[in-house]
Amino acid sequence: MKAGDTFFIADRGVDSHLWVIVSEPENDAERVVLVSMTTYESYKEDVCILDVGDHPRITHKTCIAYNEARMTSLENLIQLRDGARLKLQAPVSEAVLKRIRDGISRSTKIKYKFVELLLDQGVIE
């Protein structure tokens, strides 16, 4: 699994959002940063808005929920995938991944530990 890969949690009762890997797992397999997509509402952070055409699973105006960012290991993701607990989807394009990463720098909702890791990896400025 690599930056830009997307997936759903197989148990939709646990979570129904599309998740995106935004860090570079080959640079740090122990700390893989994920963000989720969610339906845009006016009260949600709007630093990265996506819409139909940005990803095959997007059917309406969507935003990145930086406040829901998570970190896990690549090993954990692979185990979840191989155990059919993740449903892999089409990766985001390089352009969409760049927009998502650019939004990290503008987000006031993402935890600083994620920003710091992504700065260290050189994927955001």
Side-chain angles (χ1 to χ4, degrees), residues 2-113:
K2 62 187 184 317
D5 283 354
T6 68
F7 60 86
F8 286 111
I9 306 290
D11 183 350
R12 302 288 276 193
V14 171
D15 185 271
S16 62
H17 297 95
L18 184 64
W19 289 85
V20 183
I21 297 174
V22 294
S23 63
E24 294 289 346
E26 64 272 11
N27 292 350
D28 189 342
E30 294 304 313
R31 299 181 300 166
V32 178
V33 179
L34 316 165
V35 295
S36 67
M37 297 182 191
T38 188
T39 300
Y40 175 74
E41 302 286 347
S42 61
Y43 64 88
K44 295 181 180 176
E45 190 173 45
D46 63 357
V47 296
C48 184
I49 301 294
L50 303 174
D51 215 328
V52 175
D54 285 321
H55 186 273
R57 299 300 298 206
I58 296 176
T59 59
H60 53 269
K61 193 172 183 179
T62 299
C63 63
I64 300 298
Y66 295 107
N67 60 311
E68 296 295 330
R70 300 285 184 261
M71 189 178 338
T72 190
S73 68
L74 180 59
E75 180 181 345
N76 187 50
L77 287 174
I78 290 169
Q79 287 177 354
L80 291 169
R81 178 198 67 196
D82 292 350
R85 292 174 49 203
L86 297 182
K87 291 185 177 184
L88 296 182
Q89 303 297 306
V92 294
S93 67
E94 286 295 324
V96 170
L97 180 59
K98 181 177 181 344
R99 287 170 51 200
I100 294 169
R101 286 174 166 173
D102 288 348
I104 291 166
S105 300
R106 296 188 308 273
S107 175
T108 60
K109 306 290 184 189
I110 194 166
K111 292 178 182 170
Y112 186 71
K113 67 181 180 180

